[in-house]
Amino acid sequence: MDFALSDEQKQIKEEVARFAENEIEPVAQEYDVEEKYPWDIIEKAADAGLLGAHIPFEYGGADYGNLESALITEELFAVDPGIGLSLTSTSFGADAIMEFGTDDQKERFLEPIPTGDAIMGAAISEPDTGSDVSSVSTQAEKDGDEWVINGNKMWITNGSIGDYYVVLCETDPDAEGRYNGFSQIVVESDRDGFEAEKITGKLGIRASDTAELILKDVRVPEENLIGTRGMGFLQQMQFFDETRTAVAAQGVGIAKGANEAALSYAQEREQFDRPISDFQAIQHKLSDMHTRTEAARMLTYKAAWNVDQGADITKLASMAKEYASRVAVDVANEAVQIHGGAGFVNDFPVERFYRDAKITQIYEGTTEIQKNIIARELLGKGY
Amino acid sequence: MKVLVTVKEVAAVEDEFQIAGTSIDETYLEYDLNEWDDYAVEEAVQLQEAGIADEVVAVTIGPERSEETIRMALAKGADRAVRIWDDALEGADLLDVGAKTAILEKVVEEEDPDIVLSGVQADDDGFGATGVSLADALGYEWAAVVNHLDQDSVESGTASVRRELEGGVEELTDVELPAVLTIQTGINEPRYASLRGIRQAQRKEIAPKTLGDLGLDAAAVENELELTDMYEPETESDATYFEGGPDEAAGQLADLLREKGVGAQ
C-alpha cells in the first residue's frame, strides 16, 4: 500500500494550483456575482494546456486517469467551484466517445477539446427525468440516413455555450426491458431546431453555464450515433464510477478551500484580545473540518485509483460521492460560522463555497440515490 | 543552434520556521524552480519555438530530489537535462561561485552550446555571480541582467540585448556568440507547464553525472567561503502619512521618493 503521490502527480497539483491562484482567484467573485461564463479563463487554460486532461494523447490530451483528474479537480474547486467546473466540464460526455466512438468520431469530437476550440456536454436529464434515468423521453427517429430528434433536456452543463452534446435519446420505444431502446447521439448546437435557454438564478456554481436544451426536429447524420443503437442507457451507466468519483473530488476541493480560508481567518481575527483560534470552540471546529476532509480525500483517491485499475467500484464510488459532498456542505457551513458576520457577505470566499457546495449533493445522483446504491450493493439486490 | 539553460532548485522557508545553527530543517522548507531560471527557460523555449534553437538542454547542480523541480523545465519544453551531484557536494553546506563555475564550465565544454542562459541570481543564496563567472572562465562574451533579447539577431550570430542598469537606466548592447546571458525577470511571461508537457517530461532524459564523469575531483569544488552564522534580521516598518489635498500629498510623495533615491536622471 502506497499513499504517496508520484512526482508527476505532485507536479500536476502544483501547476494547476498555481494557475488557479494566479488566474482564477482574482476574478472568482466577479464571475459569481455576474453569473457569466468565464470565456477568458477558458482561453488562458487552453493556452496553458490544462483542458481535456483525460483525452487520449493521440487526440491532443494528456491521457491522464481518474486519479490525476481528481487532483486537478480538487485544486481548481479549492479556489473556485464555478470556474473550476467550467474548466473541467469542457469535455463532459467525452468518455462515451472515447469508449464507444469510431476513429472518425474521436477525431471530430475529441481533438478540438484540449485546444479549447470546442466545448462539449452530456445531455441526460429532462424536465421529468432526474434520478429515474430510464424514463428519458427525448425521441430520435431514423429518417433515411439521418436521426430526427425531439425533446427537452434539462440542467445541461455548458448548454448555452457548448458546440456539441452527447444526448441520451429513446430510439427504440418498443424494445423489451426497462434499460433497452436508448441511444447516445451527438447533437451539434448549430443544427436547425436546436435551441438553448440559459438557466439563471442558481444558488451556486454560477460561473458555470447551465441550460435547458429544446430540440425540435433536429436532424443529425446517422454517423453521430455513438456505439450501439439501443444500448445507450447501458453505455451511459458505465461511466457513473468515473463521474461520481469526479464529483467526490469536487467536494474534497470545496472542503479544502473552505478549510484553508477558515484556518487563516481564525488566526487573523481577534476577539477578547486574542486570535479566535485560541478558543477551543474554534479549535475543535477546525480539527473536525480538517479530519473529515482528509477522510473524504482518502475515500475519493481510493475510488479514483480503483477506477484507473479497471475495477468495478459501484459501491465505493457512491460512498466517495455521498461522503465527500456531505463533508463539503458541512465544512463550508462551519467555515462561514468561523467567519461570523464576515462570512455572510461575499468579501471572503467562504460565502461562495457555502452556496457552491450544495450542488455536489444533487448532481450525478443525489445523496439519496447514492445511499440506495450503497445499500443495494451491500444487500446484493442488483438493479 | 543549441541553448544551454542553467537551472536551480531553490528552497524557500515557510511563514514560521526555526534556524538550527547554520541550517533550517527540511520540514520548514519548500522547494521550487528558481524564479529567474524560469524566465531563462521560457526564453530558451521561445527560441526553440521560433525555429532558431534546435535543442534546449537544462543543466543543474543538485541532489536526486531536485529532479522533481527540474522536470518542470522539461515539461515547459526543454529537451533534456543534465544533473550533477556527487558525495563531495553532499557534505558541503554552501557551494560558492567558484565551485559552481568549475562544474558548469565542464558541462559547457561537453555540450558546446551557442548560448548559455542563466538566471541573474538564485532566490536562496543570491550570489548573482555564477553566469558572469562562467563566461569569464570559458572565455565567452556575456551580458548580465538582460531584460530583452532580439531573437532574430541570435540567428546571425550576435545577440542584441537590452540590459537593466541601476536607477532605471537601460543599455542596448550586441554580444558575439557564443555567450552567456544572465536573464532578468520580466523578459517574458513564463508559461504554465501543460498537462501534456508534464506527461511527456516524465520520459525525457535527466542524465546524472558525478564530478568524476566531468573529469573533476573534490578539490575542484572546495569552498573558499564558510557559512558562519544564520539569523533572521529584525524587521522594521516605517510609515509616513501625508496630510492635505491630492496636489499637496502628491508633492510630498514625490519629494519623499526623490529623497529615497527613486527616479535617477
Side-chain angles (χ1 to χ4, degrees):
Chain A
M1 183 170 275
D2 185 357
F3 283 105
L5 295 178
S6 69
D7 281 356
E8 182 176 1
Q9 288 161 343
K10 285 186 219 161
Q11 287 155 3
I12 295 169
K13 255 174 88 82
E14 277 169 24
E15 206 60 0
V16 172
R18 209 162 66 85
F19 180 88
E21 192 187 319
N22 295 341
E23 314 294 344
I24 301 177
E25 203 271 328
V27 296
Q29 189 204 68
E30 176 192 336
Y31 282 100
D32 173 67
V33 169
E34 295 179 19
E35 203 166 3
K36 64 176 182 189
Y37 189 73
W39 282 111
D40 55 341
I41 311 292
I42 297 287
E43 199 175 311
K44 281 181 183 173
D47 287 347
L50 298 177
L51 299 178
H54 64 134
I55 301 288
F57 222 78
E58 59 204 293
Y59 299 106
D63 209 8
Y64 276 128
N66 287 274
L67 184 50
E68 287 79 14
S69 295
L71 298 173
I72 293 165
T73 298
E74 181 181 336
E75 293 305 325
L76 293 174
F77 274 67
V79 172
D80 185 57
I83 296 177
L85 181 64
S86 301
L87 294 177
T88 55
S89 68
T90 66
S91 58
F92 268 13
D95 281 327
I97 295 169
M98 279 154 60
E99 183 72 23
F100 301 108
T102 61
D103 288 348
D104 175 59
Q105 288 170 337
K106 288 177 185 173
E107 210 171 291
R108 277 165 66 205
F109 300 127
L110 298 181
E111 242 173 41
I113 302 297
T115 54
D117 289 322
I119 291 170
M120 61 183 295
I124 305 170
S125 293
E126 297 180 358
D128 299 318
T129 302
S131 296
D132 180 8
V133 179
S134 67
S135 69
V136 159
S137 67
T138 294
Q139 302 288 321
E141 277 178 52
K142 199 71 185 286
D143 181 26
D145 55 4
E146 290 181 325
W147 290 102
V148 183
I149 304 170
N150 280 288
N152 288 11
K153 289 290 177 182
M154 198 64 184
W155 311 119
I156 307 309
T157 299
N158 299 332
S160 81
I161 56 91
D163 297 277
Y164 40 84
Y165 306 87
V166 177
V167 180
L168 187 64
C169 310
E170 192 174 42
T171 44
D172 301 88
D174 301 330
E176 274 182 37
R178 198 176 144 204
Y179 303 111
N180 295 324
F182 301 96
S183 301
Q184 291 177 298
I185 299 174
V186 176
V187 177
E188 294 93 340
S189 58
D190 58 2
R191 298 274 177 199
D192 287 342
F194 179 101
E195 215 181 293
E197 256 174 51
K198 186 178 166 89
I199 296 168
T200 56
K202 285 186 300 191
L203 174 68
I205 55 163
R206 289 162 55 94
S208 170
D209 183 73
T210 312
E212 177 176 8
L213 307 186
I214 299 129
L215 309 171
K216 268 190 206 152
D217 290 328
V218 178
R219 287 176 172 269
V220 302
E222 62 183 351
E223 57 262 30
N224 277 21
L225 171 76
I226 304 294
T228 309
R229 176 175 176 167
M231 299 297 283
F233 183 85
L234 299 166
Q235 286 177 192
Q236 192 85 58
M237 295 284 284
Q238 297 210 0
F239 304 110
F240 282 155
D241 287 356
E242 276 95 332
T243 54
R244 284 169 184 161
T245 302
V247 176
Q250 296 176 3
V252 174
I254 294 170
K256 175 187 158 102
N259 275 337
E260 284 169 359
L263 183 60
S264 123
Y265 186 81
Q267 289 167 287
E268 279 164 24
R269 169 73 174 169
E270 293 190 3
Q271 283 295 281
F272 307 102
D273 297 324
R274 71 193 83 167
I276 59 170
S277 61
D278 276 8
F279 297 108
Q280 200 176 44
I282 300 296
Q283 290 172 0
H284 282 191
K285 279 189 197 298
L286 291 169
S287 303
D288 286 345
M289 290 158 69
H290 282 78
T291 305
R292 293 184 64 200
T293 302
E294 190 61 21
R297 180 179 289 121
M298 289 302 110
L299 196 50
T300 302
Y301 288 3
K302 186 180 176 185
W305 181 85
N306 269 286
V307 178
D308 288 335
Q309 306 309 307
D312 182 7
I313 55 150
T314 306
K315 183 174 65 181
L316 187 59
S318 287
M319 286 174 165
K321 198 274 185 187
E322 193 283 314
Y323 186 70
S325 60
R326 178 151 50 98
V327 168
V329 167
D330 292 352
V331 163
N333 180 36
E334 287 291 48
V336 170
Q337 191 67 22
I338 288 171
H339 279 68
F344 198 66
V345 288
N346 67 359
D347 297 348
F348 289 91
V350 290
E351 179 264 356
R352 206 170 61 240
F353 288 129
Y354 180 81
R355 289 184 287 105
D356 290 340
K358 189 61 200 173
I359 190 63
T360 62
Q361 289 193 308
I362 297 170
Y363 60 20
E364 290 303 323
T366 60
T367 289
E368 292 71 21
I369 289 289
Q370 304 306 331
K371 288 184 178 177
N372 285 355
I373 293 167
I374 297 164
R376 187 187 73 201
E377 294 284 320
L378 287 172
L379 300 167
K381 292 200 168 167
Y383 62 87
Chain B
M1 181 170 284
K2 187 195 262 190
V3 182
L4 188 77
V5 191
T6 65
V7 295
K8 183 182 182 188
E9 181 187 69
V10 294
V13 288
E14 293 182 348
D15 291 347
E16 303 279 330
F17 64 95
Q18 283 173 359
I19 297 170
T22 56
S23 65
I24 297 167
D25 192 82
E26 286 281 329
T27 53
Y28 303 113
L29 299 179
E30 276 178 30
Y31 292 95
D32 208 347
L33 184 64
N34 178 40
E35 189 185 352
W36 283 264
D37 297 345
D38 200 16
Y39 288 84
V41 169
E42 178 64 33
E43 201 61 24
V45 172
Q46 287 187 11
L47 282 169
Q48 188 183 44
E49 285 174 343
I52 297 165
D54 309 308
E55 191 179 26
V56 174
V57 181
V59 54
T60 190
I61 304 169
E64 197 175 348
R65 189 211 52 238
S66 67
E67 286 196 4
E68 185 194 329
T69 304
I70 302 315
R71 215 170 276 284
M72 290 310 270
L74 299 176
K76 292 182 180 192
D79 296 294
R80 60 185 172 87
V82 178
R83 179 178 66 83
I84 295 96
W85 199 240
D86 199 281
D87 291 344
L89 301 171
E90 190 88 58
D93 56 6
L94 187 71
L95 206 54
D96 69 13
V97 174
K100 288 181 205 168
T101 302
I103 294 169
L104 294 174
E105 184 186 354
K106 290 291 179 189
V107 177
V108 172
E109 282 171 6
E110 261 189 38
E111 294 285 345
D112 194 25
D114 299 279
I115 308 183
V116 178
L117 300 180
S118 179
V120 166
Q121 64 190 73
D123 257 339
D124 50 6
D125 52 25
F127 288 124
T130 305
V132 172
S133 168
L134 175 63
D136 182 52
L138 290 163
Y140 278 23
E141 297 287 311
W142 75 81
V145 202
V146 171
N147 65 10
H148 178 75
L149 169 64
D150 178 355
Q151 296 207 343
D152 294 334
S153 71
V154 173
E155 243 173 336
S156 61
T158 306
S160 297
V161 303
R162 190 174 69 210
R163 302 179 50 224
E164 195 177 293
L165 306 181
E166 286 297 309
V169 178
E170 296 192 325
E171 176 190 274
L172 297 175
T173 186
D174 289 346
V175 189
E176 293 292 318
L177 302 183
V180 177
L181 309 180
T182 77
I183 303 297
Q184 173 67 312
T185 55
I187 188 173
N188 52 41
E189 202 178 318
R191 70 194 63 197
Y192 294 98
S194 70
L195 295 173
R196 204 174 151 85
I198 291 173
R199 189 92 208 244
Q200 284 168 319
Q202 310 305 318
R203 290 189 294 274
K204 290 183 179 172
E205 181 193 27
I206 300 182
K209 283 186 195 291
T210 62
L211 292 180
D213 293 337
L214 297 173
L216 293 170
D217 56 28
V221 296
E222 259 173 31
N223 270 324
E224 288 177 21
L225 294 177
E226 191 190 341
L227 198 57
T228 55
D229 197 9
M230 187 180 281
Y231 60 93
E232 251 189 295
E234 275 181 39
T235 52
E236 50 178 294
S237 60
D238 186 6
T240 305
Y241 293 94
F242 300 120
E243 307 279 344
D247 285 355
E248 216 178 322
Q252 291 174 43
L253 175 61
D255 287 344
L256 181 86
L257 292 175
R258 213 167 286 134
E259 188 188 311
K260 299 278 183 191
V262 179
Q265 296 297 314

